[in-house]
């Protein structure tokens, strides 16, 4: 699902602008599941960036 999500420019911008908020939440909550989600999401986000430009929101 994240691979599809990060194809779009809006999703990429959302994660770029909010990932640190999620990271602070994960650390404060000490929830392994949230920390794992962060790790997986960052990994897929970086893969999306490496794959090329995003799909425009108008598409």
């Amino acid at each position: 699902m994240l691979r599809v999500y990060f194809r779009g420019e809006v999703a990429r911008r959302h994660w770029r602008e909010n990932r640190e908020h999620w990271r602070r939440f994960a650390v404060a909550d000490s929830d392994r599941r949230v920390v794992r989600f962060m790790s997986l999401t960052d990994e897929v986000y970086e893969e999306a960036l490496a794959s090329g430009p995003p799909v425009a929101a108008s598409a």
Side-chain angles (χ1 to χ4, degrees), residues 30-58:
S30 300
D31 186 332
R32 287 183 325 176
R33 294 171 298 164
V34 177
V35 172
R36 180 69 178 136
F37 172 77
M38 281 288 308
S39 177
L40 290 170
T41 304
D42 273 337
E43 182 179 314
V44 175
Y45 172 74
E46 294 299 330
E47 288 173 6
L49 293 179
S51 74
V55 174
S58 60

